[in-house]
Amino acid sequence: MSYRSEDASEAYRLAGCGLTPSDIITARYNLTDVLAQGYLSPVAAAVLADETATYFQVRLDQALDARGASVRTLMDSSSEWTFTKIGALLRITKQRARVVAERLRRP
């Protein structure tokens, strides 16, 4: 088991607060319970919450990028895939489908 980052300074920051890789993995499943146990110092709790948020933000960005790429692939595969039809498929508005398709096209 290891820390999320390959950056040694990040691992030292986490370990310096008394956090183990096991603490970090457990927090990914239920941060609220880990914090409620009360064994972490306020500094360690803040660092653990930040690490958990960063982990999920990276995963969210990857999922949103994949969704945008998939929508663009659908649209490129056939002219029948309109924003209205994609919106119905994903249960979002056609305006939101347009935003999803444009996700990776931004500079």
Side-chain angles (χ1 to χ4, degrees):
M1 201 179 313
S2 63
Y3 294 107
R4 173 187 54 80
S5 176
E6 296 295 321
D7 181 3
S9 66
E10 185 66 12
Y12 286 124
R13 178 179 78 99
L14 296 168
C17 291
L19 298 170
T20 66
S22 196
D23 292 328
I24 292 161
I25 298 299
T26 302
R28 289 178 188 163
Y29 292 98
N30 199 337
L31 177 62
T32 305
D33 282 354
V34 172
L35 296 177
Q37 291 175 9
Y39 69 89
L40 296 174
S41 72
V43 170
V47 170
L48 182 60
D50 177 65
E51 169 63 21
T52 303
T54 300
Y55 173 83
F56 283 108
Q57 184 64 51
V58 168
R59 297 302 177 267
L60 175 61
D61 287 344
Q62 290 171 344
L64 292 173
D65 288 347
R67 181 177 67 174
S70 297
V71 165
R72 280 190 311 284
T73 298
L74 269 179
M75 294 185 78
D76 292 344
S77 72
S78 169
S79 62
E80 77 177 66
W81 285 103
T82 64
F83 290 122
T84 301
K85 191 170 180 180
I86 290 170
L89 174 71
L90 301 179
R91 292 181 287 173
I92 58 178
T93 65
K94 69 178 181 180
Q95 292 83 3
R96 184 72 186 131
R98 186 182 315 273
V99 170
V100 167
E102 294 295 323
R103 178 158 175 89
L104 293 179
R105 294 186 183 174
R106 288 183 252 141

